[in-house]
Amino acid sequence: MKFRSDPSQIRGSLAPVVTPFTAGGAVDHDSLRALVRWQLDSGSHGISLGGSTGEPSAQSTAERIAAMRTVAEAVGDRVPFLPGTGSAKLDETLELTAAAAELGADAALVITPYYARPTQQGLYDWYATVAREFPDLPLVVYNVPSRTAVDIDPETVRRLFTDFDNIVGIKETTKDFEHFSRVIHACGPELLVWSGIELLCLPLMALGGAGFISAVANLAPAAVAEMYERWERGDHAGARELHYRLHPLVDLLFVETNPAPAKWVLAQQGRIASPYVRPPLAAPSEAGLDRVRALLAQGGDLTRQL
């Protein structure tokens, strides 16, 4: 939790790791530890767990807390730890966020409540409740309208950022790039903004973004981290080169619903013991795997260390 007191240090490529399961469907903590070690060895600037790529809605609260504990211990304050603690239910969100705070998380990533489709005032009240409950824990709004059926307005983000010192940033997972710009314009450069859309990660840096929480870091962590570092040191051409080289792996992620294709690749590479995804997700189809193999042939060199 050494980054908790200064969340402005939480920058760069924060890898949103998958949650590995055994072939029988249980959370595989050994594979999870191995993934975190690989991410750290590959230069990822932070670790996230429990976002969409981590299949949180298919896990019990107890399972999510146990996985957070495993990752917190594996990270050991070497880089920022930013777990997802949101749920469709407020009591679960508060329980998960309390666990994250106790386990030493540097900040908590709280998704907009899904399925209910709240109004903007409802979203404000939701985040205000979490912020008041945990005044010493930095909170990051997680906006992913394709999965939640609700889009938090820039003005709502501004209200929350203005009213609560511990609401420090937002993960924007929307293909509406204008939304990124309007959020930063409304809140100012002090708001930390990360992209969760793979092909908008590098463009966000030109707007003043803090980095990215990109699922492609599950496959090519060194390349994604290096893309950020090249941009920061002024090697914009080099950063663009990596951006375009990552395209096949980005396409691979979404051949079928994320994270099933990524888990298949990780299992093939021996990084996790099983590619199992929990229902309602399913293993990639044979046609999907043909496409995954073709894309891996194009971009697979980046799955190895640079």
Side-chain angles (χ1 to χ4, degrees):
M1 58 185 289
K2 71 177 183 179
F3 303 95
R4 187 183 294 184
S5 62
D6 184 9
S8 67
Q9 298 179 71
I10 307 176
R11 295 179 176 273
S13 174
L14 314 181
V17 295
V18 302
T19 302
F21 301 118
T22 66
V27 177
D28 181 354
H29 290 267
D30 290 338
S31 289
L32 184 55
R33 290 186 193 93
L35 280 181
V36 172
R37 286 195 296 269
W38 180 51
Q39 289 289 338
L40 296 177
D41 290 346
S42 299
S44 290
H45 306 110
I47 302 293
S48 185
L49 174 76
S52 305
T53 302
E55 300 173 73
S57 61
Q59 298 173 57
S60 69
T61 301
E63 286 176 317
R64 292 179 65 181
I65 291 172
M68 278 195 283
R69 180 175 294 106
T70 293
V71 173
E73 292 171 353
V75 170
D77 267 350
R78 284 176 283 179
V79 298
F81 176 39
L82 183 69
T85 63
S87 167
K89 296 176 63 180
L90 184 58
D91 60 342
E92 290 182 357
T93 297
L94 295 175
E95 181 181 357
L96 288 159
T97 306
E102 182 180 349
L103 291 169
D106 296 286
L109 181 68
V110 182
I111 196 168
T112 52
Y114 37 90
Y115 187 76
R117 302 182 68 185
T119 64
Q120 293 302 309
Q121 185 60 44
L123 289 172
Y124 176 89
D125 294 343
W126 179 278
Y127 282 106
T129 299
V130 181
R132 291 189 185 104
E133 188 76 15
F134 305 100
D136 298 323
L137 180 66
L139 300 175
V140 176
V141 175
Y142 180 13
N143 187 39
V144 53
S146 66
R147 289 191 182 252
T148 64
V150 65
D151 194 5
I152 189 166
D153 288 350
E155 174 59 20
T156 306
V157 180
R158 186 201 64 78
R159 287 178 64 199
L160 290 165
F161 184 60
T162 300
D163 293 350
F164 299 98
D165 290 342
N166 58 327
I167 294 182
V168 300
I170 186 168
K171 176 186 176 183
E172 286 284 8
T173 307
T174 171
K175 291 185 178 180
D176 179 5
F177 197 51
E178 184 175 307
H179 194 281
F180 288 70
S181 186
R182 292 193 181 281
V183 165
I184 295 172
H185 183 247
C187 299
E190 294 79 15
L191 181 77
L192 301 169
V193 181
W194 297 269
S195 175
I197 296 291
E198 281 64 35
L199 297 186
L200 295 181
C201 286
L202 186 61
L204 173 62
M205 299 307 295
L207 298 182
F212 7 101
I213 307 175
S214 168
V216 78
N218 278 286
L219 300 181
V224 179
E226 178 66 16
M227 182 171 69
Y228 173 85
E229 291 172 7
R230 287 183 183 183
W231 177 271
E232 283 297 289
R233 63 176 178 257
D235 180 10
H236 297 166
R240 282 194 298 272
E241 176 196 6
L242 281 175
H243 167 85
Y244 288 115
R245 286 176 63 192
L246 283 163
H247 264 242
L249 295 181
V250 173
D251 292 343
L252 183 161
L253 291 174
F254 304 105
V255 165
E256 293 181 10
T257 305
N258 175 53
K263 281 189 156 183
W264 184 86
V265 172
L266 290 169
Q268 291 293 306
Q269 295 175 336
R271 301 200 183 280
I272 59 178
S274 166
Y276 186 91
V277 289
R278 281 188 176 174
L281 298 184
S285 65
E286 283 304 316
L289 288 179
D290 288 343
R291 180 65 176 149
V292 166
R293 292 185 186 99
L295 290 165
L296 195 59
Q298 297 176 41
D301 60 313
L302 290 182
T303 66
R304 298 177 286 275
Q305 305 291 71
L306 289 180

